[in-house]
Amino acid sequence: MEYGVATAQRSEEIDRALAQAAGVAAVEAAARPPYDEMHAPDGSVRPHFAALARRLADLDPGELDERQRTLERFFLLQGITFTVYGAESTTERIIPTDLLPRIIPADEWAQIEAGLTQRLQALNLFLADIYGERMILKDGVVPRELVLGAPSYRREMQGLYVPHQAYANVCGSDLIRQEDGAYAVLEDNLRVPSGVSYMLANREASKRTFPGTFRLAGVRQIDRYPDLLLTTLRSMAEWRPNPQVVVLTPGVYNSAYFEHAYLARLMGVPLVEGRDLVVHDNMVYMRTTTGLRRIDVIYRRVDDDFIDPLTFRRDSSLGVPGLFNAYRAGTVVMCNAPGTGVADDKAVYAYVPEIIRYYLGEEPILPNIETFLCREPSQLSYVLANLDKLVVKAVGASGGYGMLIGPHASLAQREEFAQALKADPANYIAQPTIQLSTSPCLIDGQIDDRHVDLRPFILSGEKITVTPGALTRVALRKGSLVVNSSQGGGSKDTWVLAGPGDDLS
Amino acid sequence: MMLARVADSLYWIGRYVERAEHVARLADVMLTATLDRAETAAQVARIALSAVGDATPERIATPFESSRGLALDRLEGNSVVSSLALARENARQVRDQITSETWERLNLVHLRLAGAGAAKSFNDGSSAFLHDIIADLHLFKGAADATMSHGEGWRFLLLGAHLERAQLIGRLLEVCFGRGGERLDHPTLTAVLRMSCALEPYLRVYTADVRARPILEFLLLNAEFPRSIRFCTDEIEAHLSVLSRHTEAVHVGPGRLAGRLKARLQYADMAEIEREGSHVFLEGVLAECGDIHRGVYDAFVAYPLEMRLPA
């Protein structure tokens, strides 16, 4: 039981901290106003927003509204839509997009970039370790059953060679800004993160809307993303001359289909579905008009469960029978590697700062949000006593489902959640309610503040690259803290400003 | 080299867009004919409705409703709105293979037809509405021609369009001049030329001498008019011979059929066709078009894997 000690120490520490903080910190947090991205507390415009503020002062709301409609038309025409399946008819909607960019100054970005690079480096090492020697489990830094018992842990991946130890080739981490303005990581997405097409499409739109301001501000370019993605994917099959890369999509009915087609088009590689692929003698081929053609790298946008009905879920028709065996045989590379989900598990998340210290011997540059693991009895009782102040999340869920926002929930909802917590504590974590920062948005023709988060995209292959831009997700309902698109969230462009040493590209 | 599924989708985009354009034109001609004598209007409606499948007496008697059905009824498989929804669905599946310019044209006309305002636009000015749809589809074809690489994908798109066109014109001619065809009066013959978008080009060749025999000859055998069956078979053969270049020699099917059909039309003689009966000739042409369609599938899309696996 060599791993029991650290856990015990950890929970003791937390207990001490809790005893001091309980009742004080949480109440205080709820009362503190959110960080305002554009205005300083004294009401003046922050310097990096100055150019935009001047432009906005010149435009009357009618003009802005018209630009907003032009933008929506552009999205509809381009087919940048997601499908809403209803009882009567099926309609397509655009993801609500806000005109006004969110702006990040160079020094803040430098910290984000360094922090995300460090984090993904550590998480890749962590994945290589838990599917290899398992040193971190033996040393008791992360509880063994937390990792090996997670549904997203894939035993099939054990002992498999992954080039450059790059398990999560594409990562989209969700950052938030706390009340004091400090960035923190809310969540890592290492499975099949989406949203990058909105980052690129929003940029096209905001360039059209604010061309002058865009030029003046000195915004760093993001349009090399497809190029960098292709380079990253190719670096995973260096032993093959001119490797054939494909994007694997579940198909046209998937809500992110637009993004799959968009990336394939911009990279100039085929967009394939499971039914286009054939495995023969552990080699993967695609069916073309002139016969079968071999494939080397699959950028898969299909979840682990559905990749290969012979290895994972048998009832899946999206995958390719035999694909995983070919992957094990090393004739084809899948990106991201199967089983990366265990590293973005909400319970493992709590240990990421430890993971960074363990592998890199460095302090985390970007902090975590304080997290209570309900699997620990002492932490569970604290969570149950403070349900009205905390956000409780199911470990396995994503997209804003299976979540309780304490301060906004009714007594009945909280009691229902308390029952669920007691029944299966290991399935839940809790975090203090953070007032996400606010940024100005155009709502019904008027400029008003809404809560936002930040999802930058990090590529890792031979090396790690952070694209200087991000998807800023917006909670369009006033006061709401939920930014997921499935829950009524929208998005906006994110301008990362160039510093003295930065090239615009 | 392209994905077999993608080639299939492009081929069907070509077919559906061609079908939508043809049906929109039939609906328009049918509406215009209501301004003529009642017998002519009924004859034109019968031809137009038979050419796309369903000519019941009730439908012939209500040309406005039938025309709206051909344009906007989602339950009708051949309606313009259905064909374009399918074309666009296919385009969405190969969104990475067609240029944004091409996609935008198709998406735009689909949104207009499937949108809430379509029925009102049709009622307010049906001829203008149908005219605009046809013009939009021409823009789509223009965008494809001007912005897509004229490679394999573009060829599958055009192969589908021309095969569909040959079959649509063939069916129209069969209805007019085939088995059991009645005698058509002058305004009806003019309407038939309009349905094939052939009135002006026809007049330039035959002057204002509008009779059944030269119309049949023009739509069947003219080498230059893009909607004649001969022109279509020339195109089909040309695209297939390029597309077949990279398939192995065992799969000569569709290319051979297309070459034979092309030669048949190229060396056909009107007097000979009439001696045999034009319906016999038309039925033969339509049957061969069907064979080419199946041949395309066997050679490029649904080929047996065993034959293509590496040794």
Side-chain angles (χ1 to χ4, degrees), chain A residues 73 76-79 81 83 92 244 252-253 257 261 264-265 269-273 275-276 278 280 285-293, chain B residues 1-5 7 88-89 92-96 98 100 103-104 107-108 111 152 156 246-247 299-303 305 308-310:
Chain A
R73 204 183 124 70
L76 192 62
L77 198 59
Q78 283 288 306
T81 52
T83 314
E92 280 172 33
Q244 173 72 56
V252 71
Y253 300 107
Y257 176 77
R265 188 157 43 93
V269 305
L271 176 69
V272 303
E273 295 177 19
R275 57 193 162 123
D276 296 322
V278 184
H280 177 71
Y285 301 91
M286 58 182 169
R287 297 174 67 116
T288 75
T289 50
T290 54
L292 301 176
R293 184 165 168 141
Chain B
M1 184 279 302
M2 69 193 312
L3 280 181
R5 176 177 55 82
R88 190 217 182 227
E89 186 69 14
R92 234 162 80 74
Q93 300 198 27
V94 296
R95 182 63 189 85
D96 58 316
I98 51 179
S100 294
W103 158 261
E104 267 182 30
N107 192 31
L108 197 70
L111 290 175
E152 204 180 358
F156 272 105
H246 300 289
T247 50
F300 300 107
V301 181
Y303 50 79
L305 285 180
R308 307 291 181 94
L309 285 172

Side-chain angles (χ1 to χ4, degrees), chain B residues 109-184:
Chain B
V109 62
H110 162 80
L111 290 175
R112 192 125 63 82
L113 264 170
K120 185 176 181 322
S121 302
F122 187 90
N123 294 341
D124 289 351
S126 31
S127 244
F129 180 81
L130 292 166
H131 176 269
D132 287 353
I133 296 292
I134 294 171
D136 279 350
L137 292 175
H138 288 163
L139 285 177
F140 164 78
K141 290 177 182 174
D145 188 73
T147 64
M148 278 176 69
S149 281
H150 288 199
E152 204 180 358
W154 178 80
R155 285 188 190 278
F156 272 105
L157 187 75
L158 267 82
L159 176 65
H162 284 102
L163 198 53
E164 178 74 19
R165 188 182 289 176
Q167 288 179 304
L168 292 170
I169 297 292
R171 222 165 289 146
L172 177 66
L173 293 177
E174 227 186 357
V175 170
C176 298
F177 310 113
R179 233 180 269 273
E182 51 191 298
R183 235 191 106 70
L184 307 178

